[in-house]
Amino acid sequence: MAQSKGTVVLAYSGGLDTSCILVWLKEQGYDVIAYLANIGQKEDFEAARKKALALGAKKVYIEDVSREFVESFIWPAVQANALYEDRYLLGTALARPCIARGLVGIAQQERAPYIAHGATGKGNDQVRFELSCYALCPKIKVVAPWRLPEFYQRFPGRHELMDYAKKHGIPVPVTPQTPWSMDENLMHISYEAGILENPKVIDHGSHGAGGVSCICSLIGNFTPVRGGGKERKGVPVRVTNTGDGATRSSALELFVYLNDIAGKHGVGRIDIVENRFVGMKSRGIYETPAGTILYHAHLDIEAFTMDREVRKIKQGLSLKFSELVYNGFWHSPECEFLRECIGRSQEPVVGTVRLSVFKGHVYILGRESPRSLYNEELVSMNVQGDYEPADATGFININSLRLKEYHRLQSKVTVKQDE
């Protein structure tokens, strides 16, 4: 056994990588404390605890942060309409700073100088975990096995890891028959690696339950809710199923219920190639049921209640916010600033959205709000209202000046070239 190097807190999931890493860290002389965050994954946590202890962990901390995950991480993303590269709802990217917060907390409590994780040296998660940990505890030291030559040269791929697991009696859920990596939390399930690395492979075996054909109609309310000592707006506070009258109001219950409803209808499934922060493209398959419903519902009530020019600025902020979250900068000063700005923009975003889910799609059916900027009389084709149609002539003439001048110049240039 190697000489003791001190205590390391390992971000532990119980999967192939972190199970093998736990044993490997012990081989290197570390005292290992396993930290497992419950962020909504379907996991036998007691079995995970027993497994970690059996593999040699000195202690095991299992912390339920699912409510914090929804209220402190998912809700700001809903307010922002956060979407990376037009499609990805950031399920993994939102979870990492939440886990890192707990990881650092345990390291400080246990006076452990090290934290460790099982993120690949080619991926985004190594950046997300470590930037978050350094922001929260600048003096922490990180052990990243997948970036250490003595580890990745010994284990160049998952087959070698499975051989190591077999040799050391480590039970793992990954087999050659299911050769992909899966990450699950309340926000989403992701599948990547293995056979999915070939972007031509059509593999739907990794998906959960199939969609059903019946329509489910829902009513979602975006009204002021108090949180953190102040009123928060632009977040869902109630969902009602118009079919059976079922209502959910607390953040966690509401989100879990929407996941169940939308998951049954195949809502939120995408198969994409994205640009990782480290510079390479990767293929991922994602299922984000509740997040997809809330994205569409919030987008609708926001368009209904928010001033046009404010919304244009907010859209730009949302793009930057999504990029920062994806790249691991949740705990950066610029991301904190953006969350404050976006939160301020949500003051008028209150009301009710009616929608249905059907065969993988979300359909907005109607909306109402006490803060609506929609003026039915003003926009009506049947009532003139407080609007003078003749004024539109001057509006069009002024806006056409630029176009006329541009084409006048183009005509001169064309004539000159012909000469």
Side-chain angles (χ1 to χ4, degrees), residues 96-412:
R96 295 310 181 235
C98 181
I99 296 171
R101 185 186 289 180
L103 193 66
V104 167
I106 296 301
Q108 292 174 328
Q109 178 182 320
E110 291 286 339
R111 300 184 183 277
Y114 303 98
I115 62 103
H117 60 77
T120 171
K122 290 184 176 182
N124 296 308
D125 280 347
Q126 58 179 339
V127 183
R128 294 165 180 160
F129 272 129
E130 294 180 36
L131 289 181
S132 291
C133 288
Y134 288 137
L136 296 168
C137 184
K139 292 184 179 179
I140 200 77
K141 297 184 180 79
V142 176
V143 181
W146 282 114
R147 296 206 306 270
L148 299 175
E150 60 266 35
F151 187 87
Y152 66 71
Q153 288 174 3
R154 183 178 176 184
F155 306 109
R158 298 178 78 77
H159 289 292
E160 289 78 11
L161 272 185
M162 284 189 270
D163 290 341
Y164 180 81
K166 185 177 180 181
K167 179 181 177 182
H168 289 80
I170 303 171
V172 292
V174 177
T175 69
Q177 285 72 46
T178 57
W180 51 66
S181 175
M182 186 184 85
D183 177 68
E184 181 185 14
N185 59 51
L186 274 169
M187 184 66 165
H188 84 171
I189 302 176
S190 68
Y191 305 91
E192 61 180 7
I195 61 173
L196 302 178
E197 287 175 353
N198 182 345
K200 295 188 296 184
V201 168
I202 301 173
D203 183 78
H204 300 295
S206 54
H207 288 312
V212 293
S213 59
C214 59
I215 296 177
C216 178
S217 296
L218 303 167
I219 300 174
N221 289 290
F222 289 79
T223 53
V225 57
R226 295 197 68 81
K230 61 180 181 179
E231 196 172 64
R232 296 179 64 186
K233 299 182 181 179
V235 297
V237 295
R238 186 168 61 258
V239 61
T240 303
N241 188 325
T242 60
D244 59 14
T247 296
R248 301 290 187 278
S249 298
S250 77
L252 185 56
E253 286 181 340
L254 181 156
F255 204 82
V256 169
Y257 182 69
L258 285 179
N259 264 336
D260 180 55
I261 291 292
K264 290 176 181 177
H265 290 264
V267 169
R269 297 181 182 179
I270 58 172
D271 185 331
I272 66 172
V273 173
E274 70 200 60
N275 288 294
R276 286 181 180 169
F277 187 29
V278 295
M280 64 186 76
K281 292 185 184 290
S282 67
R283 190 261 190 106
I285 297 172
Y286 303 105
E287 299 182 33
T288 317
T292 300
I293 283 183
L294 292 175
Y295 174 83
H296 289 288
H298 181 268
L299 197 64
D300 188 79
I301 200 71
E302 189 176 79
F304 192 49
T305 58
M306 188 178 285
D307 175 78
R308 180 185 72 179
E309 298 305 314
V310 172
R311 188 160 182 265
K312 284 180 184 177
I313 294 171
K314 191 258 180 177
Q315 284 177 302
L317 297 179
S318 296
L319 284 173
K320 185 61 180 176
F321 172 81
S322 302
E323 179 186 290
L324 288 173
V325 173
Y326 184 87
N327 291 343
F329 289 94
W330 179 275
H331 292 294
S332 67
E334 63 271 31
C335 196
E336 289 178 5
F337 173 73
L338 282 177
R339 289 198 296 275
E340 286 292 323
C341 291
I342 290 169
R344 172 67 176 80
S345 78
Q346 297 300 290
E347 282 206 12
V349 185
V350 298
T352 301
V353 182
R354 296 174 183 270
L355 57 90
S356 67
V357 290
F358 179 57
K359 289 188 175 180
H361 295 281
V362 178
Y363 297 95
I364 302 296
L365 306 177
R367 75 290 295 160
E368 58 183 322
S369 169
R371 298 292 299 271
S372 167
L373 289 172
Y374 182 89
N375 186 328
E376 187 174 352
E377 183 180 271
L378 182 63
V379 78
S380 175
M381 296 292 189
N382 299 314
V383 180
Q384 184 168 318
D386 189 19
Y387 180 80
E388 182 53 62
D391 291 344
T393 302
F395 177 79
I396 293 168
N397 287 338
I398 291 297
N399 277 281
S400 71
L401 272 177
R402 179 176 58 88
L403 305 180
K404 291 175 180 177
E405 287 302 296
Y406 173 78
H407 286 285
R408 179 179 64 80
L409 178 60
Q410 291 300 106
S411 298
K412 280 186 178 181

Side-chain angles (χ1 to χ4, degrees), residues 74-87:
I74 294 176
W75 277 182
V78 170
Q79 289 179 313
N81 298 121
L83 201 62
Y84 179 71
E85 294 189 335
D86 303 317
R87 291 189 286 179

